[in-house]
Amino acid sequence: TTPLEAINNVKKKGEVEKIPDSQETEEIIANSNGDLFKIRSFVIQKYIEKPLLINERKFDIRVWVLVTHEMKVYFFKEGYIRTSSEIFTMDSSVIAKKNVHLTNNAVQKYSEKYGKLEEGNQMSVKELQNYLTK
């Protein structure tokens, strides 16, 4: 089901659906009128073995998007980039090392290298653009 199909399903059938992913869960809920809705949600995730890197480290891009009921999309331009503290490798000796593979601040803040290359392991979108155009 695509996002548009899911929205159309809500309008046509009164069902609430989310985009299909790899792990499916189902839940039945009722609204204040006693109408039943079937909610299906999924998680899609694929680990990228050869990611684009910044200074040999993994990163993710955090941005915010608002989609209205009328399907208008608003993109907030002031996103930011989170970086890992450690050099990326798929070597089996460090495969479980979170500071290599996860960029979450909750994980990275415990690294001895946290904040050494970027304050708080974060970059602005402009800093990323400058890095990519070097």
Side-chain angles (χ1 to χ4, degrees):
T1 305
T2 68
L4 186 55
E5 289 170 338
I7 289 167
N8 287 333
N9 284 341
V10 170
K11 291 177 183 174
K12 291 177 187 173
K13 301 181 219 173
E15 291 182 6
V16 178
E17 294 188 54
K18 292 185 180 178
I19 304 168
D21 301 67
S22 60
Q23 294 180 345
E24 182 176 354
T25 61
E26 287 192 7
E27 181 179 348
I28 306 295
I29 61 168
N31 66 11
S32 60
N33 296 329
D35 299 322
L36 295 178
F37 294 90
K38 179 180 173 182
I39 297 177
R40 294 186 325 183
S41 62
F42 305 84
V43 175
I44 294 179
Q45 190 169 324
K46 164 75 173 92
Y47 191 85
I48 300 172
E49 291 88 0
K50 294 182 180 182
L52 178 63
L53 303 172
I54 294 176
N55 296 320
E56 301 181 80
R57 297 170 300 128
K58 285 187 70 177
F59 69 97
D60 69 16
I61 301 171
R62 308 298 286 186
V63 295
W64 294 269
V65 177
L66 171 66
V67 181
T68 69
H69 291 288
E70 295 83 27
M71 295 303 294
K72 290 182 181 177
V73 178
Y74 298 90
F75 181 82
F76 185 64
K77 295 178 183 177
E78 297 298 323
Y80 64 95
I81 289 70
R82 300 185 307 181
T83 60
S84 64
S85 298
E86 303 285 339
I87 292 175
F88 175 78
T89 179
M90 288 296 291
D91 186 272
S92 61
S93 66
V94 295
I95 199 73
K97 192 170 183 180
K98 291 180 181 180
N99 291 334
V100 171
H101 300 281
L102 302 176
T103 58
N104 309 43
N105 191 51
V107 171
Q108 293 299 324
K109 67 183 178 182
Y110 296 108
S111 170
E112 292 177 11
K113 297 180 182 178
Y114 179 72
K116 298 287 185 193
L117 294 173
E118 305 91 20
E119 184 178 341
N121 279 39
Q122 293 184 6
M123 302 171 71
S124 68
V125 172
K126 184 67 174 166
E127 290 171 315
L128 175 63
Q129 289 172 332
N130 291 340
Y131 176 83
L132 294 174
T133 57
K134 280 196 239 178

